Amino acid sequence: MRRQALQLLGRALRISAPSAPPLRRPQLAAVGGWRSGAAPAGFFSTDAAAGVSAAAGAAQGGSRPEAAAAASSAAAQGGSKSAEVAAAVAQGSGGGGQDGKSEQDKGKSVRGGPVSWLSFLLLLVTGGGIIVYYDKEKKRQIEELKNKTNSVKPAQTVGTAAIGGPFSLLNHDGKPVTEKDFLGKWTLLYFGFTHCPDICPDELQKMSAALNKIKEKEKLDIVPVFISVDPERDTVEQVHDYVKEFHEDLIGLTGTSEEIRKVARAYRVYYMKTEEEGSDYLVDHSIVMYLMNPKMEFVKFFGKNYDEDTLAQGIIKEIREHKSS
């Protein structure tokens, strides 16, 4: 009778129960006894078989609570052994569902990168804000710079350059001369020495030609003055003979070494003895002409780059501006 009951139960399970997932080894061990016919007496009843079938169906449907309920019903009807079998079926099916799901999750490809759409959006917003702030700050600084530039007024020059001053020398006739002897006249000063091979003669000729042109055009009388920077050799007689070679109005001045040093310092003139061979030597010096107004105040200097025409034009321009001021 028991064998027939088991056969009927097997048929009922195959017919009524849906196909359940394969049982794991522990579950197979739990039900292996009754499959081999070694189940003890009272192991299964008809109601227990129905409970096992219900548990297997609930487990196949994926509902673990229903499988557990079916297992409990089987325990109440068929004894502890049948309950164990039903529970094993329910647990195996439920676990199989989870394992299947886990395997399915593992099989899915992980898409996306280290930067999500949200972080990318935040990056765009932050970058745009920085650009807007930088542009606004740059415009503000440019505006401040313009305002400061417009608020600065051009500085007004006050006074004249510290060139010139009192001096006491001898003219080419041997008479004492000071700066006061030139007050009330426009004066053009040049520093040089009579033994100069080329530069001094060229500059004095240029001076003489420019003064002649000024006198013809503007009817202006400007006093030309030559001051020696070689007091050792430029005596009064030497200077007298020298100046008469260039212009009839040219005044030559000389003096002692100390007097020449003082006047050169007052007019910011550089000079130094070079290439000395006994009594023959050259003097390196500044090649500059100084235009002094009737108060013996410095107006402008003219360098070697001026020729006689530009020198004449420059002097005329300065005198006109002085008269109009």
Side-chain angles (χ1 to χ4, degrees):
M1 293 295 293
R2 291 179 179 177
R3 184 173 297 177
Q4 292 177 356
L6 290 174
Q7 291 176 356
L8 291 174
L9 177 61
R11 291 178 181 177
L13 289 175
R14 287 193 299 270
I15 295 173
S16 61
S19 59
L23 297 178
R24 299 178 181 177
R25 291 182 178 180
Q27 297 164 352
L28 293 175
V31 298
W34 66 266
R35 284 187 176 180
S36 61
F43 180 79
F44 269 121
S45 64
T46 305
D47 295 333
V52 172
S53 176
Q60 178 71 18
S63 176
R64 183 181 290 271
E66 293 178 1
S72 300
S73 176
Q77 296 177 6
S80 61
K81 209 64 172 176
S82 61
E84 291 177 0
V85 174
V89 172
Q91 184 177 1
S93 300
Q98 292 180 354
D99 292 343
K101 184 177 180 181
S102 176
E103 292 296 331
Q104 183 179 4
D105 291 341
K106 290 180 181 180
K108 290 182 179 180
S109 60
V110 179
R111 296 182 179 181
V115 180
S116 64
W117 284 106
L118 179 59
S119 60
F120 181 70
L121 180 61
L122 291 176
L123 180 62
L124 289 179
V125 173
T126 305
I130 293 175
I131 293 175
V132 172
Y133 173 78
Y134 175 78
D135 185 65
K136 184 177 180 181
E137 190 68 15
K138 183 178 180 180
K139 291 181 179 179
R140 184 184 66 82
Q141 292 179 357
I142 293 175
E143 190 67 23
E144 289 181 357
L145 183 61
K146 289 182 179 179
N147 295 334
K148 290 181 180 179
T149 304
N150 295 331
S151 63
V152 176
K153 297 180 179 180
Q156 298 179 353
T157 58
V158 179
T160 57
I163 296 178
F167 59 84
S168 178
L169 299 171
L170 294 175
N171 66 9
H172 57 270
D173 293 328
K175 295 180 181 180
V177 175
T178 66
E179 77 283 353
K180 295 179 181 179
D181 294 318
F182 301 97
L183 294 176
K185 305 173 184 176
W186 284 89
T187 306
L188 191 62
L189 301 177
Y190 176 77
F191 290 79
F193 62 108
T194 61
H195 290 76
C196 182
D198 48 14
I199 295 178
C200 291
D202 293 342
E203 292 298 298
L204 290 176
Q205 288 177 359
K206 180 173 65 178
M207 175 192 287
S208 300
L211 293 179
N212 290 334
K213 290 183 178 182
I214 293 172
K215 189 174 183 178
E216 293 175 0
K217 293 181 179 180
E218 301 294 329
K219 307 301 181 181
L220 295 174
D221 289 329
I222 300 173
V223 179
V225 178
F226 168 80
I227 301 178
S228 173
V229 291
D230 185 13
E232 297 180 12
R233 294 180 299 185
D234 287 345
T235 62
V236 173
E237 293 78 10
Q238 180 70 24
V239 173
H240 180 275
D241 296 338
Y242 186 75
V243 297
K244 294 307 177 181
E245 295 179 1
F246 299 100
H247 197 279
E248 58 183 5
D249 296 331
L250 183 59
I251 297 174
L253 300 178
T254 188
T256 64
S257 297
E258 183 63 21
E259 292 170 343
I260 297 300
R261 185 182 64 82
K262 287 181 180 180
V263 68
R265 179 183 298 176
Y267 285 85
R268 306 296 189 267
V269 173
Y270 159 80
Y271 71 98
M272 184 178 66
K273 186 186 299 185
T274 62
E275 299 182 12
E276 184 173 2
E277 294 181 2
S279 61
D280 189 14
Y281 56 87
L282 297 177
V283 179
D284 187 19
H285 61 89
S286 303
I287 308 173
V288 179
M289 296 181 191
Y290 294 103
L291 179 64
M292 311 298 291
N293 65 19
K295 295 180 181 180
M296 279 301 286
E297 296 172 345
F298 169 76
V299 177
K300 188 175 181 179
F301 68 88
F302 301 92
K304 192 175 182 296
N305 56 318
Y306 284 81
D307 58 21
E308 59 184 64
D309 292 325
T310 55
L311 178 60
Q313 294 172 4
I315 293 174
I316 292 173
K317 178 183 177 182
E318 295 298 330
I319 293 176
R320 286 178 178 175
E321 291 180 357
H322 178 77
K323 289 181 177 181
S324 61
S325 61

